[in-house]
Amino acid sequence: MDLILQQKLNRMFSPRGIAFFGGVNTPASFGHLVLLSQMRYGYQGRLYPVSEKGGTVAGVPILKSLAEADGPVDLAAVSVPASAVPEVLRQCLANGVAGVQVHSSGFGETGEAEGRRLQDELKAIANQGLRIIGPNCFGLHSPAGGITVLPGSDFSKEPGGLALISQSGGVATDFGYEAARAGLRISKAASFGNGVDVDAATLLEYFAHDPETKVIAAYIEGVPDAGRFLELLKATTPRKPVVVWKAGLTPLGRRAAQSHTGSLAGAADLWTGALRQAGAVSVQGLDEMMDALVGLHYFRNRGSRVALVGGGGAIGVYSSDLAYRHGLDLPAFSEETQAELRRHFPTPGNSMVNPLDTGTPVLDLKILKNICRIVLEREPVDLLLVILLLRPIEREINNFMTMMGLPVPAAGSYLEALVEPLAGLRGETGKDVAVVLDNRAHLAQDIEVEAVARRVAPLFQARGIAVFSDAKRALGAVRLARRS
């Protein structure tokens, strides 16, 4: 990668100072909120709001010109009207700014001659050495650099190894929150919009060389130079997994992409085949993207052999169908293992084969721990998937205990009691463990069940155990992780 370009992107992701243009005097305007987002996220560098009107914003002096800045400015956030953007960029270029993120829209995505002319003018300025993210974007996020996108002030501040390339600001925002929920941590993220200068290929090359980034995710609508992007992808995937959500693969999707970011999306069959040949994990939708990333992060073995425990008969049958369609295997347990398991299930109504139907969704914890141990220690499987039905565990059994005058256990205590035993088995056997927290308690009075799931999930994740909301997503994650 070009060393100067790499250095400028480094400066942009970890800026010593940030300038803000547009709306800094206007409460709740986009530019004003971009500035407040950095403050709320905890940015530690210098903030330089710029407006000819002067004054202060949130206690920070507003400069009348960028030339008044008393320290280095590595990044500028530009939210002025499209017609005023070129002049602001020239001011940044003249004052040694490494790069800008242009939030403003009204460029090539409009399809109009004036918008295309303005976008060409931005390209000409970029050719003079100013790096441009956007226009029509949310910009950059970097926990290590202390910066975030406008809706990202509540993103995790803990850096990790996951990078995002996103043509959509909305996808970048949702990704930040979904990653935190899945127990994943982000190294850097870029919402690049129209990609007039720094585009998907540039970001892919940058993240491929970034030592902080271990896995790359990308939401792409259109790629101006598909050949270059695919060559970079092919060179990257042997070293770092890349998960690609290529949007706009249908006639309606291509039309939407054209109006969103001015992108020409391309044909589905060509992109699907090209991504596969380049070694990327191809997904559709944010949920599938997150499932792939969860699988890549938590599953060490990436094998096809799954043992499934719990959930009930129908879920077991459904999961078996899913596993078959995904090219996975639920190998039947040996006769010796079945005999050992049968010691814990003397009554009819339990299947010992795989899936292991426990009969009751609220199985005695000692028995559940024992059967998980037996399966992991005895059977040649790569992953144990434990399906836990939250409504019976957290609501129904408690209602009956209340009726009988018996003490009701603390919310979440059943699930919490499984964390360490399952984590211990994962460490002792070297086999992967995942849990499904299946919540079908959807009445208004059941809202606390969802609160339990969200509180307990990080406990499992912190011990290396992936958490899913249903068996379909769990098995999909196994399938996708195996493609890397």
Side-chain angles (χ1 to χ4, degrees):
M1 183 176 194
D2 179 79
L3 182 59
I4 294 176
L5 173 58
Q6 186 178 36
Q7 290 172 341
K8 287 192 174 183
L9 288 171
N10 286 341
R11 289 172 59 191
M12 293 168 70
F13 277 108
S14 296
R16 294 165 293 178
I18 309 175
F20 301 85
F21 295 87
V24 295
N25 305 91
T26 307
S29 68
F30 196 95
H32 182 252
L33 295 178
V34 170
L35 169 61
L36 295 184
S37 290
Q38 311 314 313
M39 299 175 73
R40 189 164 184 266
Y41 190 66
Y43 175 66
Q44 297 298 305
R46 299 291 299 277
L47 301 173
Y48 297 107
V50 181
S51 171
E52 293 180 350
K53 299 177 182 178
T56 62
V57 52
V60 179
I62 299 175
L63 310 181
K64 293 187 176 182
S65 168
L66 183 56
E68 297 177 11
D70 59 0
V73 179
D74 295 313
L75 177 66
V78 180
S79 307
V80 301
S83 59
V85 170
E87 182 54 38
V88 170
L89 267 54
R90 291 189 185 95
Q91 186 179 160
C92 292
L93 186 64
N95 285 276
V97 177
V100 301
Q101 51 188 41
V102 180
H103 307 292
S104 317
S105 56
F107 295 88
E109 81 282 355
T110 65
E112 299 175 356
E114 178 60 12
R116 290 194 294 269
R117 185 194 69 79
L118 285 169
Q119 187 151 309
D120 288 341
E121 193 169 355
L122 266 58
K123 290 180 183 178
I125 296 172
N127 288 337
Q128 298 176 54
L130 182 70
R131 300 279 64 88
I132 301 174
I133 300 288
N136 185 30
C137 75
F138 278 9
L140 305 179
H141 170 75
S142 170
I147 61 171
T148 193
V149 295
L150 166 56
S153 59
D154 288 326
F155 284 2
S156 172
K157 297 177 177 62
E158 181 183 349
L162 174 59
L164 173 69
I165 301 165
S166 178
Q167 205 153 2
S168 162
V171 168
T173 301
D174 292 342
F175 183 92
Y177 291 114
E178 289 292 326
R181 183 176 182 180
L184 307 178
R185 296 294 178 260
I186 296 172
S187 58
K188 298 177 178 71
S191 156
F192 68 92
N194 296 10
V196 68
D197 174 41
V198 177
D199 59 7
T202 305
L203 289 164
L204 177 60
E205 187 176 20
Y206 175 72
F207 290 140
H209 290 86
D210 178 30
E212 297 174 357
T213 295
K214 310 304 179 186
V215 179
I216 303 168
Y219 168 80
I220 306 295
E221 291 178 4
V223 182
D225 188 346
R228 177 171 177 257
F229 178 80
L230 292 170
E231 282 300 315
L232 288 167
L233 191 60
K234 190 174 182 180
T236 302
T237 53
R239 298 182 290 114
K240 298 182 181 183
V242 183
V243 177
V244 179
W245 171 10
K246 177 63 181 70
L249 295 180
T250 66
L252 293 179
R254 286 193 288 275
R255 185 179 69 188
Q258 176 68 32
S259 63
H260 182 210
T261 57
S263 299
L264 298 176
D269 53 350
L270 294 177
W271 269 105
T272 301
L275 290 173
R276 184 187 306 113
Q277 290 178 8
V281 180
S282 180
V283 299
Q284 284 294 299
L286 185 59
D287 285 349
E288 195 171 45
M289 174 181 274
M290 296 311 304
D291 292 342
L293 294 169
V294 167
L296 290 169
H297 180 77
Y298 289 97
F299 298 157
R300 301 163 295 180
N301 299 315
R302 314 270 173 88
S304 63
R305 301 167 301 176
V306 180
L308 193 148
V309 172
I315 291 178
V317 174
Y318 175 57
S319 299
S320 299
D321 285 338
L322 286 173
Y324 182 84
R325 293 175 188 135
H326 289 335
L328 307 177
D329 186 21
L330 299 181
F333 297 150
S334 68
E335 292 183 4
E336 292 78 10
T337 295
Q338 291 186 51
E340 180 66 18
L341 291 170
R342 179 61 65 189
R343 293 177 53 231
H344 299 281
F345 299 99
T347 58
N350 313 104
S351 169
M352 301 293 105
V353 180
N354 190 20
L356 197 162
D357 178 5
T358 58
T360 171
V362 193
L363 190 64
D364 180 272
L365 277 169
K366 183 178 180 180
I367 295 176
L368 181 55
K369 294 172 188 177
N370 278 336
I371 63 176
C372 289
R373 177 185 53 77
I374 292 167
V375 169
L376 283 174
E377 290 181 351
R378 289 172 171 259
E379 291 299 307
V381 296
D382 303 297
L383 169 71
L384 171 67
L385 181 61
V386 182
I387 299 181
L388 300 163
L389 306 184
L390 299 194
R391 185 178 63 196
I393 292 171
E394 294 294 328
R395 294 293 295 177
E396 292 171 5
I397 194 68
N398 291 354
N399 290 339
F400 290 128
M401 294 182 78
T402 299
M403 291 175 66
M404 294 183 290
L406 298 174
V408 175
S413 57
Y414 185 94
L415 303 175
E416 291 171 4
L418 288 173
V419 174
E420 288 306 316
L422 291 179
L425 287 170
R426 178 180 181 271
E428 293 165 14
T429 64
K431 298 174 182 179
D432 293 316
V433 178
V435 297
V436 169
L437 302 183
D438 191 316
N439 181 17
R440 304 289 174 173
H442 297 318
L443 299 179
Q445 60 265 34
D446 296 331
I447 190 67
E448 67 271 16
V449 178
E450 180 62 24
V452 167
R454 297 192 185 195
R455 177 173 59 80
V456 171
L459 303 180
F460 284 105
Q461 291 161 348
R463 302 291 277 119
I465 298 172
V467 178
F468 298 93
S469 58
D470 57 49
K472 181 179 180 180
R473 293 191 65 174
L475 293 170
V478 178
R479 171 183 65 90
L480 291 166
R482 294 186 68 236
R483 291 184 177 180
S484 66

